[in-house]
């Protein structure tokens, strides 16, 4: 058999071998799961951390005397505005998600109201101006009827990492404080800590 015939004979075998190898290759599997179920693939801050920390801190905040003191002198529930929560940790954290979790926890409690931030307020004011020109008297909303915030909430997210060998401990600390906007008095100071341990041959920040 000459060299050309040998090449022709081997070609079907190579094609079959390639198909077998392709059939044995790994495939990607996607599974739909409950959004409330935590999936901890690493020691990084995740959506469940954000939700649990927000709920715990708001629950603690609403047990302090400032709520009772406010209701004893005012007819309306206290109105809170979130000024800023800074991410000072070693990794990227979706702070907007954490802020939204704080808002939901505050509103769900029924003990306090939430006031929109300056950017959202400006958009709503533009809508009111448009209503003055284009909406009927019965449906338009008047200017100058906004509810001012009684308290300002702000804080920061910090993290610390300790590692040795194939073990790494990541420590998260969230500090928030609530300020009376009339007196600048700090009426609540809250702190929540999370610690995670990851054991792996190799990991990345």
């Amino acid at each position: 058999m000459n060299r050309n015939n040998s090449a022709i004979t081997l070609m079907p075998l190579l094609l079959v071998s390639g198909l077998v190898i392709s059939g044995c290759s790994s495939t990607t599997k996607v599974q739909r799961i409950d959004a409330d179920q935590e999936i901890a693939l690493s020691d990084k801050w995740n959506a469940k951390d954000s939700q649990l920390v927000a709920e715990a801190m708001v629950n603690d905040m609403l047990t302090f005397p400032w709520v009772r003191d406010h209701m004893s002198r005012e007819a309306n529930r206290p109105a809170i505005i979130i000024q800023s929560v800074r991410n000072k940790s070693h990794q990227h954290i979706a702070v907007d998600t954490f802020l939204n979790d704080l808002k939901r926890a505050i509103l769900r409690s029924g003990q306090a109201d939430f006031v929109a931030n300056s950017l959202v307020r400006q958009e709503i004011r533009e809508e009111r101006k448009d209503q003055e020109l284009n909406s009927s008297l019965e449906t338009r909303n008047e200017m100058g009827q906004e509810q001012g915030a009684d308290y300002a909430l702000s804080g920061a997210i910090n993290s610390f990492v300790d590692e040795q060998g194939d073990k790494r401990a990541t420590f998260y600390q969230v500090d928030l404080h609530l300020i009376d906007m009339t007196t600048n008095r700090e009426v609540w100071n809250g702190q929540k800590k999370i610690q995670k341990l990851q054991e792996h041959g190799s990991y990345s920040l």
Side-chain angles (χ1 to χ4, degrees):
M1 181 181 295
N2 59 35
R3 185 173 299 176
N4 291 335
N5 290 336
S6 298
I8 293 173
T9 304
L10 288 173
M11 285 182 63
L13 295 174
L14 292 173
L15 289 173
V16 172
S17 299
L19 292 174
V20 172
I21 293 173
S22 298
C24 294
S25 62
S26 61
T27 58
T28 301
K29 181 180 180 181
V30 178
Q31 182 179 3
R32 190 181 301 275
I33 63 173
D34 190 340
D36 291 331
Q37 180 180 342
E38 180 180 10
I39 301 179
L41 301 179
S42 71
D43 57 355
K44 293 182 179 180
W45 175 279
N46 58 35
K48 197 64 176 181
D49 296 325
S50 176
Q51 177 189 347
L52 294 177
V53 169
E55 292 176 354
M57 299 196 78
V58 168
N59 288 339
D60 180 68
M61 179 179 70
L62 295 176
T63 63
F64 272 58
W66 68 272
V67 180
R68 183 188 65 248
D69 295 342
H70 178 92
M71 294 303 299
S72 67
R73 65 177 185 270
E74 301 288 345
N76 297 322
R77 292 176 299 190
I80 299 172
I81 186 170
I82 297 180
Q83 298 259 286
S84 67
V85 176
R86 292 176 294 168
N87 176 24
K88 300 170 68 176
S89 73
H90 70 286
Q91 66 176 246
H92 171 73
I93 290 179
V95 175
D96 287 345
T97 300
F98 179 58
L99 294 181
N100 196 53
D101 286 335
L102 285 172
K103 297 173 189 177
R104 285 173 54 81
I106 291 171
L107 294 175
R108 190 188 298 114
S109 71
Q111 297 185 53
D113 294 324
F114 176 75
V115 177
N117 63 33
S118 58
L119 293 177
V120 175
R121 290 200 305 270
Q122 187 58 42
E123 292 177 354
I124 296 175
R125 287 167 185 165
E126 293 297 326
E127 172 61 24
R128 288 201 198 97
K129 291 180 182 178
D130 184 81
Q131 287 185 4
E132 287 187 352
L133 295 175
N134 301 297
S135 300
S136 65
L137 290 174
E138 293 79 11
T139 61
R140 72 178 57 168
N141 292 280
E142 298 181 0
M143 301 289 286
Q145 301 298 316
E146 298 179 16
Q147 180 177 358
D150 302 302
Y151 304 89
L153 181 66
S154 59
I157 304 173
N158 288 280
S159 66
F160 311 92
V161 178
D162 185 19
E163 58 184 288
Q164 183 175 6
D166 62 352
K167 294 183 179 180
R168 179 173 70 187
T170 304
F171 175 82
Y172 299 94
Q173 178 173 312
V174 182
D175 294 285
L176 298 176
H177 52 267
L178 191 69
I179 304 297
D180 186 317
M181 293 192 65
T182 301
T183 63
N184 285 337
R185 184 169 57 93
E186 186 170 317
V187 296
W188 172 75
N189 189 306
Q191 186 179 91
K192 179 66 177 178
K193 301 176 181 179
I194 295 178
Q195 190 164 237
K196 295 184 173 184
L197 177 64
Q198 180 172 339
E199 300 182 45
H200 200 279
S202 62
Y203 41 67
S204 60
L205 293 176

